[in-house]
Amino acid sequence: MMIARKKKNAPPGASSPEPGATVIQPGPQRLQKILAAAGIGSRRQCEELVKMGRVEVDKKVVTELGFKADPFRQKICVDGVPIKLEPPIYYAVYKPDGVVCTNRDPAGRTRVIDLVPESDRRLFTVGRLDLHSEGLILVTNDGALAERLTHPRYGVPKTYLVQVAGEPTREVLLKLQKGVHLAEGIARVARIRIRRKHKKSTILEMVLNEGRNREIRRIMARVGHKVYRLKRIAVGPIRLGKMKPGEARRLTPEEVAALYRAAGLASRLTGGAPKKRT
């Protein structure tokens, strides 16, 4: 049975932030950015609220657009109603076979977010693994980071162990790196190597910088090797390690910082502008 989520109180006119919304990091931020992250409206709408004198910080009306505040240390109100912000949350989860990544499942199956202790929060998975794939998946409410980690433009590597039928030849491995045609374009494996050989199957270690739907299963089918088992063991610098199926753990501040660096967002942790990738 699907777990119901608790609704939270919000200031008048506020809308629930959608996955991908900005999550405010601790420290001084522009007031309109904070208000937008709280679901008050778009940044432009929030700028108008500030200019109209409808925003207070520590009981003082603020009308300056460049004003910065720390929402986790100061009280910010719109029309006298305190805003509410969720602190950024980051989890590593070992998704078992049969668990879904979607937040809403009409069939009532177990979701990845159900495995997180704070599943009553507004959380979502960073990318997806299909129903019968397993392994590492990140769960967060930080949309800016999630977008960078999943978009192929930023090239954050994902590492998989893949058990396939038979033994792929060197030519097959080279073909996978050169590119395989799929309906939506050419899919390439960034790196691939044989980890172990069995009598009728082979364990491959594959690194992808993109994430098309069921990509590994599809490209392996194109080169004639059925996938028996697929497990993701790393997302950028975060590794599955010794986690067990169904286990979830909070990422350390050092791990979060490493993800931000991998995604080219390191300066966001100190409130600066994101670095441009070349």
Side-chain angles (χ1 to χ4, degrees):
M1 191 173 187
M2 187 181 297
I3 297 174
R5 297 199 172 267
K6 298 178 181 178
K7 293 184 179 179
K8 300 180 180 180
N9 296 327
S15 57
S16 299
E18 296 296 328
T22 299
V23 170
I24 298 295
Q25 297 287 341
Q29 305 284 334
R30 288 184 180 272
L31 198 50
Q32 59 267 35
K33 179 180 178 181
I34 297 171
L35 298 178
I40 302 300
S42 67
R43 287 204 192 183
R44 181 166 295 182
Q45 290 170 330
C46 293
E47 289 175 356
E48 291 301 315
L49 291 175
V50 173
K51 290 192 290 185
M52 292 166 65
R54 295 171 61 184
V55 182
E56 296 178 0
V57 178
D58 291 337
K59 297 183 179 181
K60 293 183 180 180
V61 175
V62 175
T63 57
E64 179 188 347
L65 291 181
F67 186 88
K68 292 185 177 182
D70 187 336
F72 300 109
R73 295 192 177 192
Q74 296 175 280
K75 185 177 181 180
I76 302 172
C77 298
V78 176
D79 295 336
V81 180
I83 67 169
K84 293 185 178 180
L85 280 173
E86 291 185 349
I89 297 171
Y90 308 91
Y91 272 93
V93 178
Y94 188 148
K95 173 197 165 320
D97 185 346
V99 172
V100 298
C101 292
T102 180
N103 276 25
R104 296 179 181 178
D105 182 54
R109 294 168 294 186
T110 301
R111 305 165 298 172
V112 169
I113 58 173
D114 294 328
L115 305 176
V116 176
E118 298 172 80
S119 59
D120 60 326
R121 298 288 189 95
R122 181 191 64 87
L123 300 172
F124 50 91
T125 60
V126 179
R128 295 187 177 186
L129 289 171
D130 65 58
L131 182 64
H132 296 297
S133 295
E134 60 182 293
L136 178 65
I137 193 157
L138 303 180
V139 174
T140 186
N141 57 355
D142 188 337
L145 178 61
E147 180 183 7
R148 288 292 187 104
L149 292 176
T150 54
H151 199 292
R153 172 184 175 186
Y154 302 103
V156 178
K158 288 85 177 175
T159 308
Y160 303 81
L161 289 181
V162 187
Q163 184 176 12
V164 301
E167 182 181 335
T169 63
R170 182 173 180 274
E171 289 71 27
V172 165
L173 301 184
L174 290 173
K175 183 176 182 179
L176 290 168
Q177 291 182 286
K178 185 176 180 181
V180 176
H181 288 272
L182 299 177
E184 62 271 42
I186 296 177
R188 296 182 178 86
V189 175
R191 296 191 300 277
I192 185 169
R193 68 186 181 98
I194 294 176
R195 283 277 296 262
R196 194 180 306 114
K197 296 179 182 179
H198 297 293
K199 190 172 182 180
K200 295 183 179 181
S201 67
T202 304
I203 305 292
L204 302 172
E205 181 177 309
M206 303 173 66
V207 178
L208 273 65
N209 294 332
E210 52 191 18
R212 293 185 174 97
N213 183 40
R214 297 174 58 83
E215 183 172 5
I216 291 177
R217 295 182 188 277
R218 293 163 65 200
I219 61 175
M220 293 310 300
R222 296 282 285 183
V223 295
H225 292 274
K226 181 180 179 179
V227 172
Y228 289 151
R229 187 182 181 193
L230 190 155
K231 180 167 75 171
R232 183 192 283 164
I233 60 172
V235 175
I238 309 303
R239 300 194 68 82
L240 187 65
K242 296 181 179 180
M243 292 180 69
K244 298 178 181 179
E247 184 179 352
R249 67 171 183 85
R250 266 211 168 195
L251 296 185
T252 66
E254 292 76 18
E255 287 176 317
V256 174
L259 279 174
Y260 263 67
R261 287 193 295 270
L265 288 171
S267 58
R268 290 279 186 94
L269 294 173
T270 55
K275 294 180 180 179
K276 293 182 179 180
R277 295 180 71 92
T278 56

